[in-house]
Coordinates of all heavy atoms in Angstrom, one line a residue:
T20 N 3.0 -8.0 -9.5 CA 2.3 -6.9 -9.8 C 3.1 -5.7 -10.1 O 4.3 -5.8 -10.0 CB 1.3 -6.5 -8.7 OG1 2.1 -6.1 -7.6 CG2 0.4 -7.6 -8.2
G21 N 2.4 -4.7 -10.5 CA 3.2 -3.4 -10.9 C 4.3 -3.6 -11.9 O 4.2 -4.3 -12.9
T22 N 5.4 -2.9 -11.7 CA 6.5 -3.0 -12.5 C 7.1 -4.4 -12.8 O 7.5 -4.7 -13.9 CB 7.7 -2.2 -11.9 OG1 7.2 -0.8 -11.8 CG2 8.8 -2.1 -12.9
M23 N 6.9 -5.2 -11.8 CA 7.6 -6.6 -11.9 C 7.0 -7.3 -13.1 O 7.7 -7.9 -13.9 CB 7.2 -7.4 -10.5 CG 7.8 -8.8 -10.6 SD 9.6 -8.7 -10.5 CE 10.1 -8.2 -8.9
G24 N 5.7 -7.5 -13.2 CA 5.0 -8.2 -14.3 C 4.5 -7.3 -15.4 O 4.5 -7.8 -16.5
E25 N 4.2 -6.1 -15.0 CA 3.7 -5.2 -16.0 C 4.6 -4.8 -17.1 O 4.3 -4.7 -18.4 CB 3.1 -4.0 -15.4 CG 2.4 -3.0 -16.2 CD 1.9 -1.8 -15.5 OE1 1.7 -1.9 -14.2 OE2 1.8 -0.7 -16.0
R26 N 5.8 -4.6 -16.7 CA 6.9 -4.0 -17.6 C 8.0 -4.9 -18.0 O 8.8 -4.4 -18.7 CB 7.4 -2.7 -17.0 CG 6.4 -1.7 -16.8 CD 6.9 -0.4 -16.2 NE 5.8 0.5 -16.0 CZ 5.9 1.5 -15.0 NH1 7.0 1.7 -14.4 NH2 4.8 2.3 -14.8
S27 N 7.9 -6.1 -17.6 CA 9.1 -7.1 -17.8 C 8.8 -8.3 -18.6 O 8.1 -9.1 -17.9 CB 9.8 -7.4 -16.6 OG 10.8 -8.3 -16.8
A28 N 9.0 -8.4 -19.9 CA 8.8 -9.5 -20.7 C 9.4 -10.7 -20.1 O 9.0 -11.8 -20.0 CB 9.1 -9.3 -22.2
I29 N 10.7 -10.5 -19.6 CA 11.5 -11.6 -19.1 C 10.8 -12.2 -17.9 O 10.7 -13.4 -17.7 CB 12.9 -11.2 -18.8 CG1 13.6 -10.7 -20.1 CG2 13.6 -12.2 -18.0 CD1 14.9 -10.1 -19.9
M30 N 10.3 -11.4 -17.0 CA 9.6 -11.8 -15.7 C 8.4 -12.5 -16.1 O 8.1 -13.6 -15.5 CB 9.4 -10.6 -14.8 CG 8.8 -11.0 -13.5 SD 9.9 -12.1 -12.6 CE 11.3 -11.0 -12.1
R31 N 7.6 -12.0 -17.0 CA 6.3 -12.7 -17.5 C 6.7 -14.0 -17.9 O 6.0 -15.1 -17.7 CB 5.6 -11.8 -18.5 CG 5.0 -10.7 -17.9 CD 4.0 -9.9 -18.9 NE 4.7 -9.5 -20.1 CZ 5.3 -8.2 -20.3 NH1 5.1 -7.3 -19.3 NH2 5.8 -8.0 -21.4
T32 N 7.7 -14.2 -18.8 CA 8.1 -15.5 -19.3 C 8.5 -16.5 -18.2 O 8.1 -17.6 -18.2 CB 9.3 -15.4 -20.3 OG1 8.8 -14.5 -21.4 CG2 9.8 -16.7 -20.8
M33 N 9.3 -15.9 -17.2 CA 9.6 -16.8 -16.0 C 8.5 -17.2 -15.2 O 8.4 -18.4 -14.8 CB 10.7 -16.0 -15.2 CG 12.1 -15.8 -15.9 SD 13.1 -14.7 -15.0 CE 13.3 -15.6 -13.4
I34 N 7.5 -16.4 -15.0 CA 6.4 -16.5 -14.1 C 5.5 -17.8 -14.8 O 5.0 -18.6 -14.2 CB 5.5 -15.3 -13.8 CG1 6.3 -14.4 -13.0 CG2 4.2 -15.7 -13.4 CD1 5.8 -13.0 -12.9
C35 N 5.4 -17.6 -16.1 CA 4.5 -18.5 -16.8 C 5.2 -19.7 -17.3 O 4.6 -20.7 -17.7 CB 3.8 -17.8 -18.1 SG 2.8 -16.6 -17.7
G36 N 6.5 -19.8 -17.2 CA 7.3 -20.8 -17.7 C 7.1 -22.1 -17.1 O 7.2 -23.2 -17.8
G37 N 6.7 -22.3 -15.9 CA 6.5 -23.6 -15.2 C 4.9 -24.0 -15.3 O 4.6 -25.0 -14.6
L38 N 4.2 -23.4 -16.1 CA 2.8 -23.6 -16.2 C 2.3 -24.4 -17.3 O 1.1 -24.5 -17.7 CB 1.9 -22.3 -16.0 CG 2.2 -21.5 -14.8 CD1 1.4 -20.1 -14.9 CD2 1.9 -22.2 -13.5
E39 N 3.2 -25.0 -18.1 CA 2.9 -25.8 -19.4 C 1.9 -27.0 -18.9 O 1.1 -27.2 -19.8 CB 4.1 -26.3 -20.0 CG 5.0 -25.3 -20.6 CD 6.0 -24.8 -19.5 OE1 6.1 -25.3 -18.3 OE2 6.8 -23.8 -19.9
Y40 N 2.0 -27.5 -17.8 CA 1.2 -28.6 -17.3 C -0.3 -28.1 -17.2 O -1.2 -29.0 -17.3 CB 1.7 -29.3 -16.2 CG 1.5 -28.4 -14.9 CD1 0.3 -28.6 -14.0 CD2 2.4 -27.5 -14.5 CE1 0.1 -27.8 -12.9 CE2 2.2 -26.7 -13.4 CZ 1.2 -26.8 -12.6 OH 1.0 -26.0 -11.5
L41 N -0.5 -26.9 -17.2 CA -1.8 -26.3 -17.3 C -2.3 -25.8 -18.6 O -3.3 -25.1 -18.7 CB -2.0 -25.1 -16.2 CG -1.7 -25.3 -14.8 CD1 -1.6 -24.1 -13.9 CD2 -2.9 -26.2 -14.3
D42 N -1.4 -26.2 -19.6 CA -1.7 -25.7 -21.0 C -1.7 -24.2 -21.2 O -2.3 -23.6 -22.0 CB -3.0 -26.3 -21.5 CG -2.9 -27.7 -21.6 OD1 -2.0 -28.3 -22.2 OD2 -4.0 -28.4 -21.4
V43 N -0.8 -23.7 -20.3 CA -0.4 -22.1 -20.5 C 0.6 -22.0 -21.5 O 1.7 -22.7 -21.2 CB -0.2 -21.4 -19.2 CG1 0.4 -20.0 -19.4 CG2 -1.3 -21.5 -18.2
E44 N 0.5 -21.3 -22.5 CA 1.6 -20.9 -23.4 C 1.6 -19.5 -23.7 O 0.6 -18.9 -24.3 CB 1.4 -21.8 -24.8 CG 2.5 -21.8 -25.6 CD 2.3 -22.5 -26.9 OE1 2.1 -23.7 -26.8 OE2 2.4 -22.0 -28.0
V45 N 2.8 -18.8 -23.5 CA 2.9 -17.5 -23.9 C 3.4 -17.3 -25.2 O 4.3 -17.9 -25.7 CB 3.9 -16.8 -22.8 CG1 4.2 -15.4 -23.2 CG2 3.2 -16.9 -21.5
D46 N 2.9 -16.4 -26.0 CA 3.4 -15.8 -27.3 C 4.5 -14.9 -27.0 O 4.2 -13.8 -26.8 CB 2.3 -15.3 -28.1 CG 2.6 -15.0 -29.6 OD1 3.8 -14.5 -29.8 OD2 1.8 -15.2 -30.5
E47 N 5.7 -15.4 -27.2 CA 6.8 -14.6 -26.9 C 7.0 -13.3 -27.9 O 7.4 -12.2 -27.5 CB 8.2 -15.3 -27.0 CG 8.2 -16.3 -25.8 CD 8.2 -15.6 -24.4 OE1 8.8 -14.3 -24.3 OE2 7.7 -16.2 -23.5
N48 N 6.5 -13.5 -29.0 CA 6.5 -12.3 -29.9 C 5.6 -11.1 -29.4 O 5.9 -10.1 -29.5 CB 6.0 -12.9 -31.4 CG 6.3 -11.8 -32.4 OD1 7.2 -11.1 -32.3 ND2 5.5 -11.8 -33.4
I49 N 4.4 -11.5 -28.9 CA 3.5 -10.6 -28.3 C 4.0 -10.1 -27.1 O 4.1 -8.9 -26.8 CB 2.0 -11.1 -28.2 CG1 1.5 -11.5 -29.5 CG2 1.3 -10.1 -27.4 CD1 0.2 -12.4 -29.4
N50 N 4.5 -11.0 -26.2 CA 5.0 -10.8 -24.9 C 6.0 -9.6 -25.0 O 6.1 -8.7 -24.1 CB 5.5 -11.9 -24.2 CG 5.9 -11.7 -22.7 OD1 5.4 -10.9 -22.1 ND2 6.8 -12.5 -22.4
T51 N 7.1 -9.7 -25.8 CA 8.1 -8.9 -26.0 C 7.8 -7.4 -26.6 O 8.5 -6.3 -26.4 CB 9.4 -9.3 -26.6 OG1 8.9 -9.7 -28.0 CG2 9.9 -10.6 -26.0
K52 N 6.7 -7.3 -27.3 CA 6.3 -6.1 -27.9 C 5.3 -5.2 -27.1 O 5.2 -4.1 -27.5 CB 5.6 -6.5 -29.4 CG 6.7 -7.0 -30.3 CD 5.9 -7.2 -31.6 CE 7.1 -7.8 -32.6 NZ 6.5 -8.1 -33.9
I53 N 4.6 -5.8 -26.2 CA 3.7 -4.9 -25.5 C 4.2 -3.8 -24.6 O 5.4 -4.0 -24.1 CB 2.6 -5.8 -24.8 CG1 3.4 -6.5 -23.5 CG2 2.0 -6.7 -25.6 CD1 2.5 -7.0 -22.5
D54 N 3.5 -2.8 -24.3 CA 3.9 -1.8 -23.4 C 3.2 -2.0 -22.0 O 2.6 -3.1 -21.8 CB 3.7 -0.5 -23.9 CG 2.4 -0.1 -24.4 OD1 1.4 -1.0 -24.1 OD2 2.2 0.9 -25.2
S55 N 2.8 -1.1 -21.4 CA 2.2 -1.1 -20.0 C 0.7 -0.9 -20.2 O 0.0 -0.3 -19.3 CB 2.8 -0.2 -19.0 OG 4.1 -0.4 -18.7
T56 N 0.1 -1.5 -21.3 CA -1.4 -1.5 -21.5 C -2.0 -2.8 -21.3 O -1.2 -3.8 -21.3 CB -1.7 -0.9 -22.9 OG1 -1.1 -1.7 -23.9 CG2 -1.3 0.5 -23.1
F57 N -3.2 -2.9 -21.0 CA -3.9 -4.2 -20.9 C -3.6 -4.9 -22.3 O -4.0 -4.4 -23.2 CB -5.4 -4.0 -20.5 CG -6.1 -5.2 -20.4 CD1 -6.1 -5.8 -19.2 CD2 -6.6 -6.0 -21.5 CE1 -6.8 -7.0 -19.0 CE2 -7.3 -7.2 -21.2 CZ -7.3 -7.7 -20.1
S58 N -3.1 -6.1 -22.0 CA -2.8 -7.0 -23.2 C -3.0 -8.4 -22.8 O -2.6 -8.8 -21.8 CB -1.4 -6.7 -23.7 OG -1.2 -5.4 -23.9
F59 N -3.4 -9.3 -23.8 CA -3.3 -10.6 -23.7 C -1.9 -11.1 -24.3 O -1.7 -10.7 -25.5 CB -4.4 -11.4 -24.4 CG -5.7 -11.2 -23.6 CD1 -6.6 -10.2 -24.1 CD2 -6.0 -11.9 -22.6 CE1 -7.9 -10.1 -23.3 CE2 -7.2 -11.7 -21.8 CZ -8.1 -10.8 -22.2
I60 N -1.2 -12.0 -23.7 CA 0.1 -12.5 -24.1 C 0.1 -14.0 -24.4 O 1.1 -14.5 -24.7 CB 1.2 -12.2 -23.3 CG1 1.1 -12.7 -21.8 CG2 1.3 -10.6 -23.2 CD1 2.3 -12.6 -20.9
H61 N -1.0 -14.7 -24.4 CA -1.1 -16.1 -24.5 C -1.1 -16.4 -26.0 O -1.6 -15.7 -26.9 CB -2.3 -16.7 -23.9 CG -3.6 -16.3 -24.2 ND1 -4.2 -15.1 -23.8 CD2 -4.4 -16.6 -25.1 CE1 -5.3 -14.8 -24.4 NE2 -5.5 -15.8 -25.3
S62 N -0.6 -17.6 -26.3 CA -0.6 -18.0 -27.7 C -2.0 -18.6 -28.1 O -2.8 -18.9 -27.2 CB 0.5 -19.1 -28.0 OG 0.0 -20.4 -27.4
G63 N -2.1 -18.9 -29.4 CA -3.4 -19.5 -30.0 C -3.5 -20.9 -29.5 O -4.6 -21.5 -29.5
N64 N -2.4 -21.6 -29.1 CA -2.4 -22.9 -28.5 C -2.7 -23.0 -27.0 O -2.9 -24.1 -26.5 CB -1.1 -23.6 -28.8 CG -0.8 -23.7 -30.2 OD1 -1.7 -24.0 -31.0 ND2 0.4 -23.6 -30.6
S65 N -2.7 -21.9 -26.3 CA -2.8 -21.9 -24.9 C -4.4 -22.1 -24.5 O -5.2 -21.5 -25.2 CB -2.4 -20.6 -24.3 OG -2.6 -20.5 -23.0
K66 N -4.6 -23.0 -23.7 CA -6.0 -23.2 -23.2 C -6.5 -22.2 -22.0 O -7.6 -22.2 -21.7 CB -6.1 -24.6 -22.6 CG -5.9 -25.7 -23.7 CD -6.2 -27.0 -23.3 CE -6.0 -28.0 -24.5 NZ -6.2 -29.4 -24.1
I67 N -5.5 -21.5 -21.6 CA -5.8 -20.5 -20.6 C -5.3 -19.1 -21.0 O -4.2 -19.0 -21.6 CB -5.0 -20.8 -19.3 CG1 -5.6 -22.1 -18.8 CG2 -5.2 -19.8 -18.2 CD1 -5.1 -22.7 -17.6
A68 N -6.2 -18.1 -20.8 CA -5.8 -16.7 -21.2 C -4.8 -16.2 -20.2 O -4.8 -16.4 -19.0 CB -7.0 -15.8 -21.4
V69 N -3.8 -15.4 -20.8 CA -2.8 -14.8 -19.9 C -2.9 -13.3 -20.3 O -2.6 -12.9 -21.4 CB -1.4 -15.3 -20.2 CG1 -0.3 -14.7 -19.3 CG2 -1.4 -16.8 -19.9
A70 N -3.1 -12.5 -19.2 CA -3.3 -11.1 -19.5 C -2.2 -10.3 -18.7 O -1.8 -10.8 -17.5 CB -4.6 -10.7 -19.1
V71 N -1.8 -9.2 -19.2 CA -1.0 -8.3 -18.6 C -1.9 -7.1 -18.2 O -2.6 -6.5 -19.0 CB 0.1 -7.7 -19.4 CG1 0.9 -6.7 -18.7 CG2 1.1 -8.8 -19.8
V72 N -2.1 -6.8 -16.9 CA -2.9 -5.8 -16.4 C -2.2 -4.7 -15.6 O -1.5 -5.0 -14.6 CB -4.0 -6.5 -15.4 CG1 -5.0 -5.4 -14.9 CG2 -4.7 -7.6 -16.0
P73 N -2.3 -3.5 -16.2 CA -1.5 -2.4 -15.6 C -2.2 -2.1 -14.1 O -3.3 -2.3 -13.9 CB -1.8 -1.1 -16.5 CG -2.3 -1.8 -17.8 CD -2.9 -3.2 -17.5
T74 N -1.2 -1.7 -13.3 CA -1.6 -1.4 -11.9 C -1.4 -0.1 -11.5 O -0.5 0.6 -12.2 CB -1.0 -2.5 -10.9 OG1 0.3 -2.3 -10.9 CG2 -1.3 -3.8 -11.2
D75 N -2.0 0.5 -10.5 CA -1.7 1.9 -10.1 C -1.6 1.7 -8.5 O -2.6 2.2 -7.7 CB -2.7 2.9 -10.5 CG -2.5 4.3 -10.0 OD1 -1.3 4.5 -9.4 OD2 -3.4 5.1 -10.1
E76 N -0.6 1.1 -8.1 CA -0.5 0.8 -6.6 C -0.3 2.1 -5.7 O -1.1 2.2 -4.6 CB 0.7 -0.1 -6.4 CG 0.5 -1.5 -6.9 CD 1.9 -2.2 -7.1 OE1 3.0 -1.6 -7.1 OE2 1.7 -3.4 -7.1
M77 N 0.3 3.0 -6.1 CA 0.5 4.2 -5.5 C -0.9 5.0 -5.4 O -1.3 5.6 -4.4 CB 1.5 5.2 -6.1 CG 3.0 4.5 -5.9 SD 3.5 4.2 -4.3 CE 3.9 5.8 -3.6
G78 N -1.6 5.0 -6.6 CA -2.9 5.6 -6.6 C -3.9 5.0 -5.7 O -4.7 5.6 -5.1
E79 N -3.7 3.7 -5.7 CA -4.7 2.9 -4.7 C -4.4 3.1 -3.3 O -5.3 3.4 -2.4 CB -4.6 1.4 -5.0 CG -5.6 0.5 -4.1 CD -7.1 0.9 -4.4 OE1 -7.4 1.4 -5.6 OE2 -7.8 0.6 -3.5
I80 N -3.1 3.3 -2.9 CA -2.8 3.6 -1.5 C -3.3 5.0 -1.2 O -3.8 5.3 -0.1 CB -1.1 3.5 -1.4 CG1 -0.7 2.2 -1.4 CG2 -0.8 4.3 0.0 CD1 0.7 1.9 -1.6
A81 N -3.1 5.9 -2.2 CA -3.5 7.3 -1.8 C -5.1 7.4 -1.7 O -5.6 7.9 -0.8 CB -3.2 8.1 -3.0
R82 N -5.9 6.5 -2.6 CA -7.3 6.6 -2.5 C -7.7 5.9 -1.1 O -8.6 6.5 -0.5 CB -7.9 5.7 -3.6 CG -8.0 6.5 -4.9 CD -8.8 5.7 -6.0 NE -8.0 4.5 -6.5 CZ -7.0 4.6 -7.3 NH1 -6.8 5.8 -7.9 NH2 -6.4 3.6 -7.7
Q83 N -7.1 4.8 -0.7 CA -7.5 4.3 0.6 C -7.2 5.2 1.7 O -7.9 5.2 2.8 CB -6.8 2.8 0.7 CG -7.5 1.8 -0.3 CD -6.9 0.4 0.0 OE1 -6.4 0.1 1.1 NE2 -6.9 -0.4 -1.0
T84 N -6.0 5.8 1.7 CA -5.6 6.7 2.8 C -6.6 7.9 2.8 O -7.0 8.2 4.0 CB -4.2 7.2 2.5 OG1 -3.3 6.2 2.4 CG2 -3.8 8.2 3.6
A85 N -7.0 8.5 1.7 CA -7.9 9.5 1.8 C -9.3 9.1 2.2 O -9.9 9.8 3.0 CB -8.1 10.2 0.4
E86 N -9.7 7.9 1.9 CA -11.0 7.4 2.4 C -10.9 7.2 3.8 O -11.8 7.5 4.6 CB -11.3 6.0 1.6 CG -12.6 5.5 2.1 CD -12.8 4.1 1.3 OE1 -12.6 4.1 0.1 OE2 -13.1 3.2 2.0
F87 N -9.8 6.7 4.4 CA -9.7 6.5 5.8 C -9.7 7.8 6.6 O -10.4 7.9 7.5 CB -8.4 5.7 6.1 CG -8.1 5.5 7.5 CD1 -8.8 4.6 8.3 CD2 -7.2 6.4 8.2 CE1 -8.6 4.5 9.8 CE2 -6.9 6.2 9.6 CZ -7.6 5.3 10.3
V88 N -8.9 8.7 6.1 CA -8.8 10.0 6.7 C -10.2 10.7 6.8 O -10.5 11.3 7.8 CB -7.7 10.9 6.1 CG1 -7.8 12.3 6.6 CG2 -6.4 10.3 6.4
L89 N -10.8 10.7 5.6 CA -12.1 11.4 5.6 C -13.1 10.7 6.3 O -14.0 11.4 7.0 CB -12.6 11.4 4.1 CG -11.7 12.4 3.2 CD1 -12.2 12.2 1.8 CD2 -11.6 13.8 3.7
S90 N -13.1 9.4 6.5 CA -14.1 8.7 7.3 C -13.8 8.7 8.7 O -14.8 8.7 9.6 CB -14.2 7.1 6.8 OG -13.0 6.6 7.3
S91 N -12.6 9.0 9.1 CA -12.2 9.2 10.6 C -12.7 10.5 11.1 O -12.9 10.6 12.3 CB -10.7 9.1 10.8 OG -10.3 7.8 10.3
K92 N -12.8 11.6 10.2 CA -13.2 12.8 10.8 C -14.7 12.8 11.0 O -15.2 13.7 11.8 CB -13.0 13.8 9.6 CG -11.6 14.2 9.4 CD -11.3 15.2 8.4 CE -9.9 15.5 8.3 NZ -9.6 16.6 7.3
H93 N -15.5 11.9 10.5 CA -17.0 11.9 10.8 C -17.3 11.0 11.9 O -18.4 11.0 12.3 CB -17.6 11.4 9.5 CG -17.4 12.3 8.4 ND1 -17.8 13.7 8.3 CD2 -16.9 12.1 7.1 CE1 -17.3 14.1 7.2 NE2 -16.9 13.2 6.4
E94 N -16.5 10.4 12.5 CA -16.8 9.4 13.7 C -16.6 10.1 15.0 O -15.9 11.1 15.2 CB -15.8 8.2 13.7 CG -16.2 7.3 12.4 CD -15.2 6.1 12.4 OE1 -14.6 5.9 13.4 OE2 -15.4 5.5 11.3

């Protein structure tokens, strides 16, 4: 998640590299050109869609913390 898969074409290739038996095939041309936006990186031959999904882990931590703090005040 996050920077690991979102911003690294090399890491995405490594992660998907052992999944050929599931008919997963990454289009390396697309994989190396995308930025940190939602994108599909599977080839036309892949039977399974492979997506790069941007995350906001720090934002989610902040939202959950705020929710907890605000809910604690009302109890």
Side-chain angles (χ1 to χ4, degrees):
T20 63
T22 303
M23 185 65 75
E25 181 182 334
R26 298 184 184 152
S27 174
I29 294 169
M30 187 58 73
R31 292 189 295 268
T32 297
M33 291 172 59
I34 291 167
C35 295
L38 301 177
E39 295 85 3
Y40 70 98
L41 294 172
D42 292 320
V43 171
E44 185 177 310
V45 171
D46 183 321
E47 288 303 327
N48 194 30
I49 296 170
N50 186 30
T51 57
K52 290 182 181 178
I53 66 162
D54 55 11
S55 293
T56 58
F57 182 90
S58 303
F59 288 103
I60 61 170
H61 59 279
S62 75
N64 297 326
S65 186
K66 292 186 180 175
I67 297 176
V69 180
V71 176
V72 181
T74 60
D75 181 11
E76 293 162 338
M77 296 302 285
E79 185 60 27
I80 291 168
R82 281 187 288 281
Q83 287 186 25
T84 301
E86 184 180 311
F87 175 77
V88 169
L89 293 174
S90 69
S91 297
K92 289 183 178 182
H93 300 299
E94 293 179 9

